Amino acid sequence: MSNHGGGIKRSSWLTFRRRLLLVRALLRGPATSADLVGAINRELGAQGYPEAAAAALKHDFDALKGEYGCVITYNRPARQYALEDLGELALLDLPDDSLEALAFLEASFPAGSGHPEHTNLRALLERVVLLLPPTRQQQHRRRRSATRLGGGDGGGRIDLDTLTIVKYAVEERRELAFAYLSTFDADLPRHHRVAPYGITFRPEGHGYLDATVLEVTPRGGEAIHAAIDYRLDRIVAATVMVLPTVLPPIRPTPPSYVLRYTLVSQVACRRDVAVYFPNTQISYHDDGSAEVTATITNFWQARQILLRYGDACLVHAPPELVTLFQKTAAGLGRLYATE
Amino acid sequence: MAQQLPVAQALPDGQQRLLEGWLPLAQMANLRYGWGLSAADLEALIVVAAPRLRGAQSALEAQAILWFTYQRLKASIL
């Protein structure tokens, strides 16, 4: 009796092991039945599948589906089996920190980015997620969307061809032309010819082309030779063109201005005022306020940055920036005016 | 009495815009990761990270590059 019982136990164990090996083989990727039988037999030798393996293989697939909830599909034209879902066999779990790291990687290398070098990484991430139990997969999906929001992916998507061409122009130091829809262009984009110098990203997630304006048609308020940060997602796709003209060795220097502003005690009293501009000097006063001086070349950018302080920041110089703030304040006054 | 903090060095031509462009993101990382870097240190971090930052495809990737560069610099100093 005991021998018989041991035989059953050994047989059950072998069957279980064979099914786990089958799952492991499928985790490597879709496979034909011959591939699978070969992989199992290499591991188990004489204890693997018998010569007529088709029925035993089907039996194992049925068991994996019925007993463990695995989802295995068959691609008839390719004659391949693929593991779509591990069901109860999703045995991998990860600490929350690792799930956060996984979400960060997913957000950094989004699906459908079209970059060949991202393809393998995406496949790896998808494999790892597939190994997680369903509840952890759901947590991961929620975390992933939160990470994307936190990363400021809320802006318009940058056209990848545009990004590639712009980067090429920056590296090759060649002039660039494109149609651009600025905040102040209602519907019709205008044609810009620029000297491109770099690409930057801001905390809110938008990507910008740092360029010197050479020509704008039709002309707007842009000063020729001014340094402008063009939002990459507002460059009209398929209009960007690298021109033959090589940039001069020295960048046409945009005029620089001394920026001076005061931060009220409420934001400066802890003496940890943020540095947002080159050549920043901060003087803290006894009343808790701070006076900041720095150098800027771009009024619009300076205004965007300083607006984060709301009414806790008073700009004294340069006069052009003060005028810009006055216009903004008047506009806000109109928007929020109470009857 | 006003207290004067150390003044950043004058910038060579071309670096002004580089710093203007990346400082907001670097400052955000400085606060987020608690580095406590001074203005001059932040500018130095950007200059060192600049070659890699040029390849960044997104704000998250740029942030990761800044973090990586900070760790490398810290390790080389210690």
Side-chain angles (χ1 to χ4, degrees):
Chain A
M1 282 295 281
S2 61
N3 277 349
H4 181 64
I8 288 171
K9 273 184 191 165
R10 194 160 50 246
S11 164
S12 302
W13 168 243
L14 260 177
T15 305
F16 179 63
R17 193 169 167 215
R18 195 176 64 220
R19 287 170 187 167
L20 282 184
L21 288 171
L22 200 55
V23 168
R24 199 169 78 182
L26 283 169
L27 278 172
R28 285 185 211 134
T32 63
S33 56
D35 292 337
L36 292 169
V37 169
I40 302 303
N41 288 352
R42 273 194 297 280
E43 290 280 342
L44 296 180
Q47 292 179 312
Y49 283 116
E51 234 174 83
L57 188 65
K58 184 182 180 312
H59 190 62
D60 283 345
F61 280 146
D62 289 343
L64 286 171
K65 291 175 191 172
E67 290 175 31
Y68 303 107
C70 296
V71 178
I72 297 165
T73 56
Y74 183 63
N75 179 344
R76 201 163 293 281
R79 297 184 171 186
Q80 284 183 324
Y81 292 92
L83 182 63
E84 306 291 345
D85 193 310
L86 278 159
E88 298 292 316
L89 288 179
L91 297 174
L92 175 73
D93 209 344
L94 295 167
D96 285 345
D97 286 350
S98 299
L99 272 186
E100 196 175 331
L102 197 61
F104 176 77
L105 281 173
E106 285 230 63
S108 303
F109 301 95
S113 67
H115 283 262
E117 68 267 31
H118 287 188
T119 308
N120 290 343
L121 188 65
R122 285 297 316 171
L124 170 68
L125 292 172
E126 278 157 21
R127 287 266 156 204
V128 172
V129 172
L130 183 71
L131 290 168
L132 294 169
T135 50
R136 296 295 269 171
Q137 286 192 29
Q138 282 167 13
Q139 281 176 12
H140 170 70
R141 275 192 285 273
R142 282 198 296 273
R143 197 185 296 260
R144 184 173 56 189
S145 42
T147 304
R148 281 194 177 139
L149 288 174
D153 204 20
R157 202 157 174 76
I158 300 167
D159 177 70
L160 281 162
D161 288 339
T162 300
L163 184 61
T164 307
I165 297 169
V166 169
K167 281 193 168 181
Y168 175 79
V170 170
E171 281 158 18
E172 295 295 313
R173 298 182 57 80
R174 301 252 299 273
E175 285 186 10
L176 197 65
F178 49 80
Y180 186 74
L181 197 61
S182 82
T183 312
F184 305 104
D185 298 325
D187 293 318
L188 285 177
R190 290 179 297 138
H191 184 265
H192 292 242
R193 183 169 64 87
V194 304
Y197 287 95
I199 289 169
T200 55
F201 289 92
R202 297 281 151 70
E204 75 275 11
H206 295 309
Y208 294 85
L209 162 66
D210 169 21
T212 297
V213 182
L214 301 175
E215 187 183 356
V216 184
T217 319
R219 281 293 295 275
E222 303 87 354
I224 300 304
H225 285 175
I228 287 191
D229 294 304
Y230 288 95
R231 269 221 357 219
L232 288 167
D233 59 318
R234 288 188 178 162
I235 293 177
V236 180
T239 66
V240 63
M241 198 162 54
V242 181
L243 303 176
T245 316
V246 176
L247 306 189
I250 296 173
R251 179 173 187 169
T253 313
S256 67
Y257 305 86
V258 174
L259 167 69
R260 189 165 64 84
Y261 58 96
T262 299
L263 294 173
V264 302
S265 162
Q266 195 184 346
V267 294
C269 62
R270 291 175 64 188
R271 300 194 168 208
D272 57 355
V273 165
V275 172
Y276 291 117
F277 307 99
N279 296 320
T280 291
Q281 297 176 44
I282 306 167
S283 298
Y284 290 104
H285 298 288
D286 291 342
D287 64 359
S289 67
E291 183 165 306
V292 184
T293 59
T295 314
I296 58 166
T297 60
N298 185 314
F299 299 132
W300 179 86
Q301 186 193 49
R303 184 191 62 168
Q304 295 306 102
I305 290 170
L306 292 178
L307 271 174
R308 71 188 62 194
Y309 289 116
D311 62 358
C313 171
L314 176 63
V315 176
H316 307 290
E320 294 89 340
L321 184 59
V322 175
T323 305
L324 209 53
F325 265 98
Q326 284 165 342
K327 281 184 187 166
T328 305
L332 288 172
R334 280 194 299 277
L335 277 178
Y336 292 101
T338 49
E339 295 294 326
Chain B
M1 289 294 284
Q3 178 193 340
Q4 193 77 30
L5 289 191
V7 179
Q9 295 298 306
L11 296 169
D13 282 347
Q15 280 200 8
Q16 166 100 4
R17 291 287 298 163
L18 174 79
L19 295 175
E20 271 183 333
W22 288 111
L23 265 169
L25 193 77
Q27 173 60 18
M28 191 196 73
N30 193 25
L31 292 174
R32 184 173 178 180
Y33 303 125
W35 294 337
L37 293 180
S38 66
D41 288 343
L42 270 183
E43 292 183 2
L45 177 71
I46 292 167
V47 171
V48 174
R52 283 195 174 91
L53 287 172
R54 273 196 273 275
Q57 305 278 349
S58 67
L60 272 171
E61 198 175 339
Q63 204 174 298
I65 290 167
L66 286 169
W67 182 88
F68 172 79
T69 309
Y70 170 79
Q71 300 300 333
R72 289 284 297 272
L73 285 174
K74 195 174 155 202
S76 68
I77 290 165
L78 287 177

